[in-house]
Amino acid sequence: MELAVIILFVLSIAVVSVLWGRIEKRRAADPRPEADTSNGATGSTPERPARQQRPARPRSAPAGTGTSPQAAKEAASLLSADQHRQIYAALGQGQPVKALKLYAMFTGAGIRASGAAITNMAAHPQPYVRPIPDPDTSAQPDAAKPGQATPDAAKPAAGAETDAVREEEISKWAQQLRPEDFLKP
C-alpha cells in the first residue's frame, strides 16, 4: 500500500510538470497579454481586438556615457586637417571601429578615451578649425625652441615597436565593439 502511494505521488508530479510545460509553451507562443484571453469566458465585457505592439524604444546609454558638443569640440581639436577628414570619412562610411583605431593612433589616447571621443564626434559633428598659434611660441625660431632634440636613428625603431603594440591592443579591444555602440540613443 505504501509503495502504491509513493508511485501515485511521483506520477502526479510528472503529470503536473508536463502540463505546466505545455502551458508555458502556449504563453510564449501567444503574443497577446493574458488578460485579453479571458474576455469571452464571462461575457460581461465586449471582446476587444488585440492591441498592436509598439516597437521597442531604443535603449538609452548608461549614465556615464553622455555626449556633449564641448567634448566633441575638444576631441576634434586634437586632430590635424587630414586626420579629421579620415576619421569623419570612416564615420560617414559606417565604420566606427576604423574611426576609433585611427583616433587612437593619431592622438595616442587609450581605447576608452578614443571610444568616448568618437562617440562624441559622431553625435556632434565638428568642422575642422585651424589651431591658433600662441604669440609666445611664434616669436622664437624653430631651431631655438627648448626641449626639441634632433632625431636619431634609434627613435623611429622604438616608436615603430610601440605602434605595433598599440595596434595589437586596439585590435583586441576593437573586435569587441559593434556599430550599435556608437549610435545616438
Side-chain angles (χ1 to χ4, degrees):
M1 182 70 177
E2 292 175 5
L3 183 62
V5 171
I6 293 173
I7 290 174
L8 286 174
F9 184 69
V10 169
L11 285 174
S12 64
I13 291 175
V15 168
V16 168
S17 174
V18 167
L19 291 175
W20 188 260
R22 287 185 177 181
I23 290 171
E24 290 297 318
K25 283 184 182 177
R26 286 183 185 169
R27 277 189 193 160
D30 189 16
R32 294 183 300 168
E34 199 172 303
D36 287 346
T37 60
S38 64
N39 285 341
T42 61
S44 62
T45 58
E47 192 171 325
R48 291 181 278 167
R51 273 181 31 189
Q52 291 184 354
Q53 299 240 347
R54 291 187 296 197
R57 291 189 303 188
R59 296 164 70 188
S60 62
T65 61
T67 61
S68 70
Q70 182 61 28
K73 189 174 189 178
E74 290 172 7
S77 70
L78 299 175
L79 302 170
S80 70
D82 187 50
Q83 294 168 348
H84 187 270
R85 183 191 52 76
Q86 287 180 20
I87 287 176
Y88 273 107
L91 287 173
Q93 294 169 358
Q95 299 174 342
V97 174
K98 180 180 177 184
L100 179 119
K101 285 182 180 181
L102 289 171
Y103 188 86
M105 184 176 66
F106 294 149
T107 62
I111 298 296
R112 287 187 183 184
S114 298
I118 292 299
T119 302
N120 282 309
M121 290 172 67
H124 307 282
Q126 298 293 316
Y128 176 72
V129 179
R130 286 189 187 150
I132 301 171
D134 290 336
D136 297 335
T137 59
S138 62
Q140 297 177 352
D142 288 343
K145 286 186 181 178
Q148 286 189 346
T150 58
D152 29 321
K155 285 189 179 179
E161 182 180 51
T162 58
D163 286 344
V165 172
R166 186 178 299 141
E167 183 68 26
E168 181 179 316
E169 178 187 354
I170 291 171
S171 295
K172 182 176 83 174
W173 285 99
Q175 288 172 358
Q176 298 173 356
L177 296 174
R178 303 170 305 204
E180 297 86 49
D181 295 338
F182 297 97
L183 294 177
K184 190 173 182 180

